[in-house]
Structures are given as C-alpha cells and as structure tokens.
Amino acid sequence: MSEHTDTDRYKTFEGIDCVGNSLRLVAAIRSHIDDPTKTNAFWEVFKVKLAEAADQERHAPDELRLICSYVYLIEELFERYGDAAGLALLRQIEEECC
C-alpha cells in the first residue's frame, strides 16, 4: 500500500521539491526554445536569464523565480506545442511553489 501525503505550501514546503521540479521544467522549456523554429526574441532573452540564474555567484533570480514570473508565457509555449507533461509540471510548480 502506498502512502499518499498532500502537500500544502502554506503549512510547510516539506515534501515539495521546488528546486528539482523547477530544474525539470527548465529542461522541458529548453526542449522547445532551443529549437530555432520555436524560439523568438523573448525566449532568447529568457535563455540569458536562465544562464544568469544558474550562476550562483551573480546572485541573479533563480530558475524557480523565473518560472513563477513567467507562468503564463510558459503555459502558452507548452499549449502551442502540445506538451501536456510540461503543462502538468508547470501547474504543479505554480500550485506548490509559486
């Protein structure tokens, strides 16, 4: 029998992998925007922001903060390319971490 625990960020972040999930979501985003036929000026700037977020010495916003700031644009990206898994992970992150 598997044990199911409900997560509630308003009580605790325990059991919520915001960092890991955000890194998985970044990979899903990159799978689209790294394709030259799917990118645009916004996504090119977003790539720069992701690189800055990964550079801990720069004290730039981290990946999770970028995701939370651009939820609707990321949602549109996944909807445009029929990425149901990406949408599901985005919704989970939005609910649990943003």
Side-chain angles (χ1 to χ4, degrees), residues 25-86:
L25 189 70
V26 166
I29 293 166
R30 295 296 303 244
S31 74
H32 296 290
I33 66 175
D34 286 344
D35 179 341
T37 65
K38 296 181 179 179
T39 194
N40 60 34
F42 171 80
W43 293 116
E44 291 303 308
V45 171
F46 191 81
K47 289 179 196 179
V48 171
K49 290 181 182 202
L50 283 174
E52 291 170 352
D55 183 358
Q56 297 301 318
E57 292 182 20
R58 294 193 60 173
H59 302 289
D62 61 17
E63 292 88 351
L64 179 60
R65 195 166 356 159
L66 286 173
I67 290 166
C68 293
S69 296
Y70 297 107
V71 166
Y72 297 113
L73 292 168
I74 297 167
E75 181 179 51
E76 178 186 345
L77 177 77
F78 289 146
E79 286 176 350
R80 174 175 290 152
Y81 297 110
D83 188 339

Side-chain angles (χ1 to χ4, degrees), residues 3-45:
E3 181 179 316
H4 175 72
T5 58
D6 290 322
T7 55
D8 185 348
R9 69 177 178 188
Y10 295 110
K11 293 178 184 176
T12 179
F13 282 94
E14 186 175 326
I16 302 173
D17 186 9
C18 292
V19 173
N21 287 338
S22 67
L23 294 176
R24 283 188 283 286
L25 189 70
V26 166
I29 293 166
R30 295 296 303 244
S31 74
H32 296 290
I33 66 175
D34 286 344
D35 179 341
T37 65
K38 296 181 179 179
T39 194
N40 60 34
F42 171 80
W43 293 116
E44 291 303 308
V45 171

